[in-house]
Coordinates of all heavy atoms in Angstrom, one line a residue:
E1166 N 58.5 -13.1 65.3 CA 59.5 -13.3 66.5 C 60.3 -14.6 66.3 O 60.0 -15.5 65.5 CB 58.7 -13.6 67.7 CG 57.7 -12.5 68.1 CD 56.9 -12.8 69.4 OE1 57.1 -13.8 70.0 OE2 56.0 -11.9 69.7
I1167 N 61.6 -14.5 66.9 CA 62.3 -15.7 66.8 C 62.2 -16.5 68.0 O 62.1 -15.9 69.3 CB 64.0 -15.2 66.7 CG1 64.2 -14.4 65.4 CG2 64.9 -16.4 66.8 CD1 64.0 -15.3 64.2
H1168 N 62.0 -17.7 67.9 CA 61.8 -18.6 69.0 C 63.0 -19.6 69.3 O 63.6 -20.0 68.5 CB 60.5 -19.5 68.7 CG 59.2 -18.8 68.5 ND1 58.2 -18.6 69.5 CD2 58.9 -17.9 67.4 CE1 57.3 -17.9 69.0 NE2 57.6 -17.5 67.7
K1169 N 63.2 -19.9 70.7 CA 64.2 -20.6 71.1 C 63.8 -22.0 71.3 O 62.9 -22.1 72.1 CB 65.0 -20.1 72.3 CG 66.4 -20.6 72.4 CD 67.0 -19.7 73.3 CE 68.7 -20.0 73.3 NZ 69.5 -19.2 74.1
V1170 N 64.2 -23.1 70.6 CA 63.9 -24.4 70.6 C 65.1 -25.2 70.7 O 66.0 -25.1 69.8 CB 62.9 -24.9 69.5 CG1 62.5 -26.3 69.7 CG2 61.6 -24.0 69.5
N1171 N 65.3 -26.1 71.7 CA 66.4 -26.9 71.9 C 67.8 -26.0 71.9 O 68.8 -26.4 71.1 CB 66.6 -28.0 70.7 CG 65.3 -29.0 70.7 OD1 64.7 -29.2 71.8 ND2 65.1 -29.5 69.7
D1172 N 67.6 -25.0 72.5 CA 68.7 -24.0 72.6 C 69.2 -23.4 71.3 O 70.3 -23.0 71.1 CB 69.9 -24.6 73.4 CG 69.6 -24.9 74.9 OD1 68.8 -24.0 75.5 OD2 70.0 -25.8 75.4
R1173 N 68.2 -23.4 70.4 CA 68.6 -22.9 69.0 C 67.6 -21.8 68.7 O 66.3 -22.0 68.8 CB 68.5 -24.0 68.0 CG 69.6 -25.2 68.2 CD 71.0 -24.6 67.9 NE 71.2 -24.0 66.6 CZ 72.2 -23.3 66.1 NH1 73.2 -23.0 67.1 NH2 72.2 -22.8 65.0
P1174 N 67.9 -20.8 67.9 CA 67.0 -19.6 67.5 C 66.3 -20.2 66.3 O 66.8 -20.7 65.4 CB 68.0 -18.5 67.1 CG 69.3 -19.1 66.9 CD 69.4 -20.3 67.8
C1175 N 64.9 -20.1 66.3 CA 64.2 -20.7 65.2 C 63.1 -19.6 64.7 O 62.6 -19.0 65.5 CB 63.5 -21.9 65.8 SG 64.5 -23.4 66.1
Y1176 N 62.9 -20.0 63.3 CA 61.6 -19.4 62.8 C 60.4 -20.2 63.0 O 60.6 -21.4 63.2 CB 61.8 -19.1 61.3 CG 62.9 -18.5 60.8 CD1 63.9 -19.1 60.1 CD2 63.1 -17.1 61.0 CE1 64.9 -18.4 59.5 CE2 64.1 -16.4 60.4 CZ 65.0 -17.1 59.8 OH 66.1 -16.3 59.2
K1177 N 59.2 -19.7 63.4 CA 58.1 -20.5 63.5 C 57.1 -20.4 62.3 O 56.8 -19.2 62.0 CB 57.2 -20.1 64.7 CG 56.1 -20.9 65.0 CD 55.4 -20.6 66.3 CE 54.5 -19.4 66.1 NZ 53.6 -19.1 67.3
A1178 N 56.9 -21.3 61.6 CA 56.1 -21.5 60.4 C 54.9 -22.4 60.5 O 55.0 -23.5 60.9 CB 56.8 -21.9 59.2
T1179 N 53.8 -21.8 60.3 CA 52.5 -22.4 60.6 C 51.6 -22.5 59.3 O 51.5 -21.4 58.6 CB 51.6 -21.7 61.7 OG1 52.5 -21.6 62.9 CG2 50.4 -22.5 62.0
V1180 N 51.2 -23.6 59.0 CA 50.3 -23.8 57.8 C 49.0 -24.4 58.4 O 48.9 -25.4 59.2 CB 50.9 -24.8 56.9 CG1 49.9 -25.0 55.6 CG2 52.2 -24.4 56.3
T1181 N 47.9 -23.8 57.9 CA 46.6 -24.2 58.3 C 45.6 -24.6 57.1 O 45.8 -23.8 56.1 CB 45.8 -23.2 59.2 OG1 45.5 -22.0 58.6 CG2 46.7 -22.9 60.5
G1182 N 44.7 -25.6 57.3 CA 43.7 -25.7 56.2 C 42.4 -26.1 56.7 O 42.3 -26.8 57.7
K1183 N 41.4 -25.6 56.1 CA 40.0 -26.0 56.5 C 39.2 -25.9 55.3 O 39.3 -25.1 54.3 CB 39.4 -25.0 57.6 CG 39.2 -23.5 57.1 CD 38.6 -22.7 58.2 CE 38.4 -21.3 57.6 NZ 37.8 -20.5 58.6
T1184 N 38.1 -26.9 55.3 CA 37.1 -26.9 54.2 C 36.2 -25.9 54.5 O 36.0 -25.3 55.5 CB 36.4 -28.4 54.3 OG1 36.1 -28.6 55.6 CG2 37.3 -29.3 53.7
T1185 N 35.5 -25.5 53.3 CA 34.5 -24.3 53.4 C 33.1 -24.8 52.5 O 33.3 -25.7 51.8 CB 35.0 -23.0 52.7 OG1 35.4 -23.4 51.5 CG2 36.2 -22.5 53.5
G1186 N 32.1 -24.1 52.8 CA 30.8 -24.3 52.0 C 30.4 -25.8 52.1 O 30.3 -26.4 53.2
S1187 N 29.9 -26.2 51.0 CA 29.2 -27.6 51.1 C 30.3 -28.7 51.3 O 30.0 -29.7 51.8 CB 28.6 -27.9 49.6 OG 29.7 -27.8 48.6
F1188 N 31.6 -28.4 51.0 CA 32.5 -29.5 51.3 C 32.7 -29.6 52.7 O 33.1 -30.7 53.2 CB 34.0 -29.1 50.6 CG 34.3 -29.7 49.4 CD1 33.6 -29.2 48.2 CD2 35.3 -30.6 49.3 CE1 33.9 -29.8 47.1 CE2 35.6 -31.2 48.2 CZ 34.9 -30.8 47.0
D1189 N 32.5 -28.5 53.6 CA 32.6 -28.6 55.0 C 31.6 -29.6 55.6 O 31.7 -30.0 56.6 CB 32.5 -27.3 55.6 CG 33.2 -27.1 56.9 OD1 34.1 -27.7 57.2 OD2 32.5 -26.5 57.8
F1190 N 30.5 -29.6 54.9 CA 29.3 -30.5 55.4 C 29.7 -31.9 55.2 O 29.3 -32.7 56.0 CB 28.0 -30.1 54.5 CG 26.8 -30.9 55.1 CD1 26.1 -30.6 56.2 CD2 26.4 -32.0 54.2 CE1 25.1 -31.3 56.6 CE2 25.3 -32.7 54.7 CZ 24.7 -32.3 55.9
F1191 N 30.3 -32.3 54.0 CA 30.6 -33.7 53.8 C 31.9 -34.2 54.2 O 32.1 -35.3 54.7 CB 30.4 -33.9 52.2 CG 29.1 -33.7 51.6 CD1 28.7 -32.5 50.9 CD2 28.1 -34.6 51.8 CE1 27.4 -32.4 50.4 CE2 26.8 -34.6 51.3 CZ 26.6 -33.3 50.6
L1192 N 32.9 -33.3 54.3 CA 34.2 -33.6 54.8 C 34.7 -32.3 55.6 O 35.4 -31.5 54.9 CB 35.0 -34.0 53.5 CG 36.6 -34.3 53.8 CD1 36.7 -35.6 54.7 CD2 37.3 -34.5 52.6
R1193 N 34.6 -32.5 56.7 CA 35.0 -31.3 57.6 C 36.5 -31.5 58.0 O 36.9 -32.4 58.6 CB 34.2 -31.3 58.8 CG 34.6 -30.0 59.8 CD 33.6 -30.0 61.0 NE 33.7 -28.7 61.7 CZ 34.8 -28.5 62.5 NH1 35.7 -29.3 62.8 NH2 34.8 -27.2 63.2
I1194 N 37.3 -30.5 57.6 CA 38.8 -30.6 57.7 C 39.2 -29.3 58.5 O 38.9 -28.2 58.2 CB 39.6 -30.8 56.5 CG1 39.2 -32.1 55.8 CG2 41.1 -30.6 56.7 CD1 39.9 -32.3 54.4
R1195 N 40.0 -29.6 59.6 CA 40.6 -28.5 60.4 C 41.9 -29.0 60.7 O 42.3 -29.4 61.7 CB 39.8 -28.1 61.7 CG 38.4 -27.7 61.4 CD 38.4 -26.3 60.7 NE 36.9 -25.7 60.8 CZ 36.2 -26.0 59.8 NH1 36.6 -26.8 58.8 NH2 35.0 -25.4 59.8
D1196 N 42.9 -28.6 59.8 CA 44.4 -29.2 59.9 C 45.2 -28.0 60.2 O 45.2 -27.0 59.6 CB 44.8 -30.0 58.7 CG 44.0 -31.2 58.5 OD1 43.3 -31.7 59.5 OD2 44.2 -31.8 57.4
T1197 N 46.3 -28.3 61.0 CA 47.5 -27.4 61.3 C 48.7 -28.1 61.4 O 48.9 -29.2 62.0 CB 47.1 -26.7 62.7 OG1 46.0 -25.9 62.7 CG2 48.4 -25.7 63.0
W1198 N 49.8 -27.6 60.7 CA 51.0 -28.0 60.7 C 51.9 -26.9 61.1 O 51.9 -25.8 60.6 CB 51.5 -28.6 59.3 CG 50.7 -29.7 58.8 CD1 50.8 -31.1 59.0 CD2 49.6 -29.5 58.0 NE1 49.8 -31.7 58.3 CE2 49.0 -30.8 57.7 CE3 48.9 -28.4 57.4 CZ2 47.8 -31.0 56.9 CZ3 47.8 -28.5 56.6 CH2 47.3 -29.9 56.3
R1199 N 52.9 -27.1 61.9 CA 53.8 -26.0 62.6 C 55.2 -26.6 62.6 O 55.5 -27.7 63.2 CB 53.2 -25.5 63.9 CG 54.1 -24.4 64.5 CD 53.5 -23.9 65.7 NE 52.2 -23.1 65.4 CZ 51.0 -23.5 65.9 NH1 51.0 -24.4 66.8 NH2 49.8 -22.9 65.6
S1200 N 56.2 -25.9 62.1 CA 57.6 -26.2 62.2 C 58.4 -25.2 62.8 O 58.2 -23.8 62.6 CB 58.2 -26.5 60.8 OG 59.5 -27.0 60.9
Y1201 N 59.4 -25.4 63.7 CA 60.3 -24.5 64.3 C 61.7 -24.8 63.5 O 62.2 -25.9 63.8 CB 60.4 -24.7 65.7 CG 59.1 -24.3 66.5 CD1 58.1 -25.2 66.9 CD2 59.0 -23.0 66.9 CE1 56.9 -24.8 67.5 CE2 57.9 -22.6 67.6 CZ 56.8 -23.6 67.9 OH 55.7 -23.2 68.6
I1202 N 62.0 -23.8 62.8 CA 63.2 -24.1 61.8 C 64.4 -23.3 62.2 O 64.4 -22.0 62.4 CB 62.7 -23.6 60.5 CG1 61.5 -24.3 60.0 CG2 63.8 -23.9 59.3 CD1 60.7 -23.8 58.8
D1203 N 65.5 -24.0 62.4 CA 66.7 -23.3 62.8 C 67.2 -22.2 61.9 O 67.1 -22.5 60.7 CB 67.8 -24.5 62.9 CG 69.1 -24.0 63.6 OD1 69.6 -22.9 63.2 OD2 69.5 -24.6 64.5
T1204 N 67.4 -21.1 62.4 CA 67.7 -19.8 61.5 C 69.0 -20.0 60.7 O 69.2 -19.4 59.8 CB 67.6 -18.5 62.3 OG1 68.6 -18.8 63.4 CG2 66.4 -18.3 63.1
T1205 N 69.8 -20.8 61.3 CA 71.2 -20.9 60.7 C 71.2 -22.0 59.6 O 71.6 -22.0 58.4 CB 72.3 -21.1 61.6 OG1 72.4 -20.1 62.6 CG2 73.7 -21.3 61.1
S1206 N 70.9 -23.2 60.2 CA 71.0 -24.4 59.3 C 69.8 -24.7 58.4 O 69.8 -25.5 57.4 CB 71.2 -25.8 60.1 OG 69.9 -25.9 61.1

């Protein structure tokens, strides 16, 4: 879907990351980054 942000049509791109297995026990990570990117510029 195209999202409207600041009156501009935008792509929505989402990146997520999480640790698994034994790493999740010692260093638990649940991170999300999201950007709304102007479709023209």
Side-chain angles (χ1 to χ4, degrees):
E1166 299 178 9
I1167 298 298
H1168 298 256
K1169 203 162 191 180
V1170 180
N1171 299 333
D1172 291 324
R1173 297 292 304 168
C1175 291
Y1176 303 115
K1177 183 177 79 169
T1179 304
V1180 180
T1181 63
K1183 65 176 183 178
T1184 46
T1185 57
S1187 59
F1188 263 72
D1189 201 41
F1190 180 77
F1191 293 105
L1192 177 62
R1193 187 181 189 276
I1194 293 175
R1195 299 290 186 273
D1196 292 349
T1197 300
W1198 301 271
R1199 180 173 295 122
S1200 182
Y1201 293 87
I1202 306 166
D1203 192 303
T1204 59
T1205 302
S1206 65

